[in-house]
Every structure is written in structure tokens, then in C-alpha cells.
Amino acid sequence: MRGSPSIENGRTRAEGVPTAEAVAALLATCAVGFLAGLAAGGVRLGLGLPGHKVLVWMAPLVAARLVFRSPVGGSAGALAAALGTMAVGGNLAGAGMHLPVAVLAGGVLDVAVHVIERRRLGAVWAIPLMGLAGLAANLVMLGKRLLVPSLRLHHFLWTSGLAARCLSYAVFGLAAGLVGAGIGWVILRRRGK
């Protein structure tokens, strides 16, 4: 009989229903994303280079995704970061219709962490992989900028061409992924996981 613990090897919860631990991990990752988004919307780094705010919002999100291990934490956290930035008048994701781009960028992070967890990669491989995931995710965010060419961007250094913008977004995304993965790995080691 379906649902009987004796027939289903002791399973008492329905398949597909997240556990309290999974929900807590997702909410924790979203909270980190939202706070990072608030910071990205309110902090002015003054670098004047395209894509540099990723250092503020993506690095903490990468660390949170690694630490809390929520399967969709990157996507949900990136959405929370975009909403947090919008809450303080920033434009991490631009208009509300561009929020799916932030979710897609977070999905890139989710896929990379999934590979790390599935293959049980050590820090030597995991940190560079997250750096590359950060690079790819920030290029996804550049795609959002290309969808909205009417935005006035106030970057003063070598930003006239698309190639320069791509390079800047790639470098900052790589840095955010590496920094976030390094922080996440340190936290995991201290927790003994």
C-alpha cells in the first residue's frame, strides 16, 4: 500500500517535499544575497570599471552557496540580491523585467557547485571552478546591460568598446568567484565539512 512506512523502507515524508533543513539553507542563502544586494546598491566603490559591483554582491553569494548547500541557492540568492539592490534604488538587475537574468547568473553558480559536490572536488579544483563560474555569471549580467543600451553608464576607463566591457566583466566575475569560493572553503574547513 502506497504511503505505508513498512512497504516504503521507512520513508515517512513525501518525495519532492523539502526538509526543514533544506528550507533553512535556501532562506539563509537568500538572506545573504539580499544583504549583499543592499550593500551593492548602497556602496560606491568608485572604481569606474564596468561590472565591478559583482565583488560586493556575488562574492558573498558564492560563499553562501558553498556553505549552505541549497541546490537552487545561487539562483534564489541572486534574485534576492537583485531585489535588495532595487530596494535601495540600485540597478543590479535593472528593471523588474530583467530579474530573470540575475536568476540565470545565479543558476550558473548552482551548476558549478553541483559539479563540485557531485565529484567531491577539493579546494584545488573547486576554487578555480567557482572563479570560472563567477566569470560566466558576470558575463550573463553583462548580457542584461546589452539588452538595455539606453542606460547611461558612467565608467571612465577604457569602456568605449564591447570587448573592453566583456574583459572588465570577466575579470571582476573571476575575482568575485575566486574570493567567494575561498571564503566559503575557509568556512567549510572551520566547520569540519
Side-chain angles (χ1 to χ4, degrees):
M1 177 161 83
R2 189 105 178 113
S4 172
S6 62
I7 295 175
E8 294 193 21
N9 299 327
R11 290 186 190 175
T12 56
R13 70 175 184 90
E15 286 188 34
V17 175
T19 63
E21 184 178 298
V23 171
L26 179 62
L27 291 175
T29 306
C30 286
V32 169
F34 188 78
L35 292 173
L38 289 175
V43 171
R44 301 286 179 244
L45 296 177
L47 297 179
L49 298 170
H52 70 276
K53 282 197 177 185
V54 74
L55 295 171
V56 178
W57 72 267
M58 191 184 292
L61 182 59
V62 167
R65 176 58 181 88
L66 285 167
V67 170
F68 296 118
R69 300 177 187 234
S70 173
V72 294
S75 298
L79 176 61
L83 292 172
T85 303
M86 289 173 67
V88 293
N91 64 357
L92 174 69
M97 67 180 168
H98 298 114
L99 291 175
V101 177
V103 173
L104 181 59
V108 171
L109 303 176
D110 285 332
V111 168
V113 175
H114 178 73
V115 169
I116 290 167
E117 291 172 348
R118 184 140 197 194
R119 297 187 182 262
R120 298 183 179 159
L121 299 177
V124 171
W125 294 103
I127 292 173
L129 178 60
M130 288 311 298
L132 292 175
L135 182 153
N138 208 30
L139 288 176
V140 168
M141 294 303 288
L142 172 63
K144 182 260 314 173
R145 290 283 188 192
L146 297 177
L147 292 174
V148 188
S150 63
L151 285 176
R152 291 188 181 156
L153 304 174
H154 303 287
H155 300 122
F156 64 88
L157 296 176
W158 54 282
T159 60
S160 59
L162 179 60
R165 266 200 194 151
C166 286
L167 179 61
S168 184
Y169 268 77
V171 167
F172 284 115
L174 177 67
L178 291 172
V179 168
I183 292 169
W185 216 261
V186 167
I187 293 169
L188 286 173
R189 287 197 55 157
R190 288 191 178 181
R191 288 174 49 185
K193 291 188 177 184

